[in-house]
Amino acid sequence: MAGYSLHRPLPVGEVPGWDIETGVAVIGFGAAGACAALEAARGGARTTLFEMGSGSGGASALSGGEIYIGGGSDAQRAAGFADTPEALAAYLKLAGGPDADAAKCDLYAAQSLAHYAWLKAQGVPYKGSFVPGKIIEPATDDTLIWSGSEEAWPFFETAAPAPRGHVIQFEGWGGGRLLVDILERNVRAAGVDVRTDARVVALIADGPAIVGLVVRIDNRDHFVRAGATVICTGGFCMNQDMIRRYAPEALKLSDPIGENDNGSGILMGMGAGGDAIHMDEFFTTCPWIMPESLVKGIFVNRNGQRFINEDCYHGRVSRSMIDQPGDRVWLLVDNAIFARPIDLARIDIAAVGESWEEVERELGLPEDTLSATVRTFNRYAAEGEDPLWHKAAKWLKVLDEPPFAALELNFAGSYFSFFTLGGLATLPTGEVLDRAGAPVPGLFAAGRATAGLPRWGHGYSSGMSLADCTFFGRQAGMAAARAFTPAA
């Protein structure tokens, strides 16, 4: 193979000849790539989709098929929740963190219900029923769940809470595969030229503009001329070198959620002049929230101190764990709320005692650290308050019924799944921006190859990534179809 590089586009003058010519080239066949290709083709562009694997999938197919939708959906209304686009936008901006993309949040909130209708029009089924309580994803075929920190402090102070996780109708966990299958069926029906086992090894540039790509198919390099290119290759959780360089805190974790999420698209975009932002951000979760009673326990770090209100979304709680000193934290429970976590979590019992002082000693913590934390918590919990972390009263329980236990969440040993959130900076149209904030001509991106709606691990909610992938994949495809110049 010639010395093509993800880090440096091939100058157009070095192209020996064009093997494939297309209006819009889409790289990656997950949910973002499928939606981009679908809208580009429906927008009148000759569209070719390149996927390095042998079929559609990506991290989208490994997901639960849950999409974050709000503003007053049929499922929300049927369950008695009066959500509004304004409340949805407010929550998205809080969840997006200190540098939330306000333009993307506002656009998605305004068009969330229309996007939901679009998904249904593609054949994505929704039963419309609501499941109350704290769950990771329904094992039944129900639709609506609480999928974030909407009811928890500090989010509820600014954004009126409502459940917004809309899950595809599917029995059991893992409905993402069905979602991608439905999108793939539509992509092929729209006439998109799908090329699998096709690995993009470089972009092609004419000055600052991206005009094509080099694709390795059947051990031969193919030169593709494209009016517009859309990168939908996912994040970089499978690339240890990139994790080490950009998101070293994630090196504590050992269970990436990805398929071919090697960061290749981000590297190509950067090589073309694109700006990559929030590359240190990642989502992680250890599904400790099953069973629900454990939410009434309290988390402490190796100093015996609380660090979060435990009624937040499990991903926010888990991401806060990784910020703590050391390599583990403990969940403190009493006999009244104790239940074994699901096996998937790989959570062990680290200490048991008839008093919190005994648990403290068994964990090897200094005297009057953990026990003082529990005394303070219990004092206020008895009054229905949590002045330090503002845990909601319905989740407060005095931990006073022995025996007491400390459940250990070890970052290396327990199941902390994760994926990256940083990526290329883009406009809501999907246009990739350079470091000066100007679009890179001919280059678009969507999904986890970008820093989109979810860009802050401490604010993530289930369904935000698929919402971002599907909605902004569509925007990128439509914009690419409008912008491309047909090959002469």
Side-chain angles (χ1 to χ4, degrees):
M1 183 177 71
Y4 303 117
S5 174
L6 298 175
H7 305 278
R8 184 181 62 257
L10 179 72
V12 70
E14 297 181 21
V15 174
W18 299 109
D19 299 295
I20 301 171
E21 300 196 21
T22 191
V24 174
V26 177
I27 311 173
F29 203 179
C35 289
L38 188 54
E39 293 288 36
R42 289 175 176 173
R46 183 169 49 178
T47 303
T48 307
L49 190 156
F50 299 97
E51 164 57 44
M52 70 180 297
S54 297
S56 64
S60 303
L62 301 175
S63 74
E66 181 179 346
I67 298 180
Y68 202 80
I69 292 164
S73 73
D74 51 4
Q76 288 178 315
R77 296 193 308 272
F81 296 100
D83 196 17
T84 65
E86 292 76 19
L88 171 59
Y91 183 79
L92 291 173
K93 290 172 186 175
L94 290 171
D99 188 42
D101 191 322
K104 288 180 181 176
C105 293
D106 288 337
L107 180 65
Y108 184 74
Q111 297 188 21
S112 178
L113 295 181
H115 183 55
Y116 185 42
W118 182 88
L119 289 165
K120 290 181 176 181
Q122 310 318 302
V124 180
Y126 292 99
K127 184 177 180 180
S129 49
F130 170 59
V131 183
K134 280 185 171 289
I135 57 175
I136 298 171
E137 63 181 82
T140 58
D141 63 351
D142 296 295
T143 298
L144 185 65
I145 66 170
W146 290 96
S147 67
S149 297
E150 297 88 358
E151 288 190 299
W153 179 86
F155 298 90
F156 74 85
E157 292 183 328
T158 301
R164 301 190 181 101
H166 287 64
V167 187
I168 188 171
Q169 187 171 358
F170 181 80
E171 288 280 354
W173 288 9
R177 180 68 259 178
L178 175 59
L179 173 67
V180 174
D181 287 344
I182 292 169
L183 293 173
E184 177 178 1
R185 184 173 65 242
N186 284 279
V187 164
R188 294 185 182 276
V192 175
D193 181 7
V194 177
R195 310 286 184 104
T196 57
D197 298 306
R199 181 164 61 92
V200 178
V201 296
L203 297 176
I204 298 172
D206 185 0
I210 299 303
V211 297
L213 44 152
V214 184
V215 186
R216 189 81 168 166
I217 304 174
D218 295 330
N219 294 317
R220 186 172 77 83
D221 295 324
H222 293 69
F223 299 90
V224 180
R225 184 175 182 179
T229 297
V230 188
I231 295 173
C232 301
T233 51
F236 58 95
C237 66
M238 310 297 288
N239 186 324
Q240 282 290 294
D241 289 337
M242 289 184 72
I243 291 289
R244 187 172 293 105
R245 174 176 294 187
Y246 297 112
E249 284 292 290
L251 291 171
K252 297 178 181 180
L253 313 174
S254 56
D255 292 283
I257 301 177
E259 191 173 62
N260 295 314
D261 290 55
N262 60 10
S264 60
I266 298 173
L267 296 177
M268 282 189 285
M270 293 169 68
D275 191 15
I277 61 175
H278 301 300
M279 293 288 283
D280 59 329
E281 290 292 344
F282 59 94
F283 161 84
T284 186
T285 190
C286 184
W288 57 269
I289 210 168
M290 301 277 283
E292 189 176 272
S293 65
L294 297 183
V295 181
K296 295 180 180 179
I298 60 173
F299 277 106
V300 297
N301 59 25
R302 72 176 184 187
N303 299 324
Q305 299 171 331
R306 282 181 77 203
F307 53 86
I308 192 70
N309 45 321
E310 296 83 4
D311 58 338
C312 285
Y313 169 64
H314 54 85
R316 176 174 170 82
V317 176
S318 297
R319 182 63 187 85
S320 296
M321 294 178 197
I322 308 304
D323 295 334
Q324 304 310 304
D327 61 357
R328 66 198 65 195
V329 299
W330 295 284
L331 176 60
L332 308 182
V333 298
D334 71 359
N335 189 58
I337 64 172
F338 173 79
R340 289 198 173 273
I342 56 176
D343 292 339
L344 171 65
R346 304 198 296 264
I347 295 174
D348 297 322
I349 300 174
V352 177
E354 291 300 313
S355 69
W356 286 114
E357 287 77 12
E358 185 178 347
V359 172
E360 181 179 78
R361 288 192 297 272
E362 194 167 334
L363 292 176
L365 298 181
E367 183 179 354
D368 213 27
T369 53
L370 179 150
S371 57
T373 293
V374 177
R375 281 198 304 273
T376 300
F377 174 80
N378 281 348
R379 171 191 166 190
Y380 287 106
E383 300 170 1
E385 297 180 4
D386 179 19
L388 294 180
W389 290 103
H390 312 288
K391 189 174 184 175
K394 69 179 180 179
W395 298 111
L396 292 176
K397 193 262 180 215
V398 177
L399 303 176
D400 61 355
E401 300 182 43
F404 306 111
L407 303 176
E408 181 174 288
L409 287 80
N410 184 298
F411 303 153
S414 299
Y415 179 81
F416 280 87
S417 59
F418 76 98
F419 55 83
T420 55
L421 297 174
L424 298 169
T426 60
L427 293 174
T429 55
E431 295 167 90
V432 173
L433 299 176
D434 64 20
R435 294 180 66 182
V440 176
L443 189 61
F444 299 77
R448 291 290 56 76
T450 74
L453 280 179
R455 55 173 58 192
W456 187 46
H458 298 79
Y460 190 89
S461 296
S462 289
M464 281 190 176
S465 193
L466 278 181
D468 184 70
C469 290
T470 55
F471 181 78
F472 288 103
R474 293 178 58 208
Q475 306 310 305
M478 289 186 282
R482 291 193 298 266
F484 87 94
T485 302

